[in-house]
Amino acid sequence: MNAYRSKSLSFPWPPLLYSLAVIAALCLQRWYPLPLPFIWALASWVVGALLTAFAVTLNVWAVETLVERRTTVLTQRCSAHLVTTGPFRFTRNPTYLGYTLLTAGLGMMIGNLWFVAMAAAAAALTTLLVIRCEEMHLLSRFGCEFEFYCKHTRRWL
């Protein structure tokens, strides 16, 4: 695909991908349960609660940053500005990182380890279906500025 002809996404894939990941994790737990030893249940809940709180905070911070910069939050709209402040200083995709951590964290809180596996699968699909297209769009809109940003900021962590 030519970067200079790329368009933003036409469908909001991330909510669908992570919703399907949650549904798949619930089904897998029902058909092929992964028992969590009792001794690890409390630790898993604590780690899950921390991940969930961090994920929600990260997503709220990312949305606030995008709104402050007067650019779109929606993946199917063109970006008005390249945002490199707030959580975007640390990761190029803080909302997708937040979705991934939220999915894994909720799974750990309820003791369903399939959520962790499905969060990883959703992150991989998000990279293939969403992030690469978004990066082409941003490259076509912001050129060298986006390339410089990519060299200094990681895609996920």
Side-chain angles (χ1 to χ4, degrees):
M1 174 191 280
N2 184 344
Y4 298 101
R5 293 179 178 209
S6 74
K7 296 177 180 157
S8 60
L9 296 172
S10 58
F11 185 79
W13 286 105
L16 176 66
L17 292 174
Y18 285 92
S19 297
L20 290 174
V22 167
I23 292 168
L26 291 170
C27 291
L28 284 167
Q29 182 67 14
R30 183 177 182 124
W31 298 326
Y32 306 104
L34 290 176
L36 187 64
F38 178 75
I39 195 155
W40 291 102
L42 180 59
S44 174
W45 189 90
V46 170
V47 170
L50 291 172
L51 280 177
T52 300
F54 179 74
V56 170
T57 303
L58 183 62
N59 276 347
V60 168
W61 187 22
V63 169
E64 284 178 348
T65 303
L66 291 171
V67 169
E68 286 172 1
R69 288 294 313 253
R70 291 184 171 79
T71 193
T72 185
V73 177
L74 304 174
T75 58
Q76 65 271 23
R77 301 244 173 108
C78 289
S79 298
H81 305 285
L82 180 62
V83 179
T84 60
T85 59
F88 296 91
R89 289 178 294 175
F90 309 108
T91 174
R92 295 194 312 253
N93 300 288
T95 53
Y96 305 144
L97 178 60
Y99 295 161
T100 304
L101 294 176
L102 179 65
T103 304
L106 290 174
M108 292 179 80
M109 285 178 67
I110 65 172
N112 183 341
L113 298 179
W114 285 109
F115 272 70
V116 177
M118 292 299 104
L125 286 172
T126 298
T127 300
L128 292 173
L129 297 174
V130 179
I131 293 174
R132 290 192 176 167
C133 292
E134 285 182 355
E135 287 177 347
M136 294 300 284
H137 166 70
L138 292 171
L139 181 61
S140 71
R141 298 267 301 161
F142 305 108
C144 292
E145 184 182 0
F146 180 68
E147 287 180 356
F148 180 80
Y149 174 60
C150 288
K151 285 182 181 178
H152 294 89
T153 309
R154 297 175 65 100
R155 183 181 279 162
W156 283 96
L157 286 176

